[in-house]
Amino acid sequence: MPTETPNRHFRAGQLGAALWVLRRLATPETKAPEESAFRRKKVPAHLLAEGLGSVMKNLSCARGHGGDRWAAAAEVFRDLPDLLPSNLPGNTMEPGEENAFIAGHSKQLEHYKEKFGALVGDVAD
């Protein structure tokens, strides 16, 4: 297992997981990305651009669902500033950076799965 050093790539991975969970809470049919989606010449800033650009849309949609889904989305939204690296890596990831990104993503996704359970669903589906 890669070392879980909270460097910029690890943080970017955590942010990616939070953005995916926010999307999942807004549109439950969304499936978790597979590890291979983060490999082979990927740039974190590009991987996260769509999710960052959709935060308000996903938050509004989750608000429309109300109840536990809205409460979870609000909590994930409050996490975003702490997960945002001081600057998103804008270069193609080297293998060690990919591993850090994936480790951060996996750790954050598991955190939300434990916290929100069925709302997030099976993160492997």
Side-chain angles (χ1 to χ4, degrees), residues 11-25 48 51 55 58 73 75-77 79-80 83 104-105 108-109 112:
R11 283 279 183 222
Q14 288 182 295
L15 177 62
L19 294 170
W20 178 81
V21 168
L22 188 58
R23 182 175 173 201
R24 174 75 173 222
L25 293 167
L48 302 175
V55 168
N58 289 331
E75 189 171 333
V76 172
F77 179 74
D79 289 346
L80 295 180
L83 299 176
H105 192 276
Q108 197 67 27
L109 206 50
Y112 288 132

Side-chain angles (χ1 to χ4, degrees), residues 14-100:
Q14 288 182 295
L15 177 62
L19 294 170
W20 178 81
V21 168
L22 188 58
R23 182 175 173 201
R24 174 75 173 222
L25 293 167
T27 55
E29 68 279 357
T30 303
K31 292 190 178 192
E34 295 186 24
E35 183 178 305
S36 62
F38 307 128
R39 295 207 180 271
R40 298 169 67 184
K41 307 279 184 193
K42 298 294 182 177
V43 177
H46 298 166
L47 289 170
L48 302 175
E50 182 181 345
L52 286 168
S54 300
V55 168
M56 294 314 296
K57 178 184 95 177
N58 289 331
L59 193 62
S60 295
C61 189
R63 178 69 172 131
H65 292 299
D68 290 343
R69 191 169 293 283
W70 165 241
E75 189 171 333
V76 172
F77 179 74
R78 285 190 294 271
D79 289 346
L80 295 180
D82 291 336
L83 299 176
L84 185 65
S86 58
N87 61 349
L88 283 175
N91 296 322
T92 304
M93 291 187 282
E94 298 296 326
E97 294 167 335
E98 286 177 349
N99 290 339

